[in-house]
Amino acid sequence: VPTQVEESATCRFDYVIVRDGSDSKGGNLIGKFCGSRTPKKVLSPGNKLWIEFYSDGSVTKKGFTATYKAIGMHYSDVF
């Protein structure tokens, strides 16, 4: 997901966090990403994702982009 986010070994300065769920505390951590490497596809077991971008403001880069696609959704799954 990161395009250009400040890189560090532990992603402690700038990073993108992806969690399963609708808030920052309740969902399981799917991944924490930084740097310029694109991660593998991020899949959620549910229908909600929490995406949070953090920057310490010390280095300016382009940031990140994200796209999403709903998969495996059938009307019979809803009812």
Side-chain angles (χ1 to χ4, degrees), residues 1-27:
V1 178
T3 303
Q4 279 192 358
V5 177
E6 185 177 3
E7 189 160 358
S8 71
T10 59
C11 296
R12 46 178 256 204
F13 303 113
D14 296 353
Y15 52 84
V16 177
I17 287 179
V18 180
R19 291 184 182 276
D20 176 38
S22 61
D23 62 54
S24 63
K25 304 212 181 342

Side-chain angles (χ1 to χ4, degrees), residues 43-58:
L43 296 175
S44 170
N47 63 350
K48 296 179 182 178
L49 281 176
W50 178 269
I51 301 172
E52 181 177 345
F53 173 68
Y54 173 82
S55 176
D56 66 356
S58 66

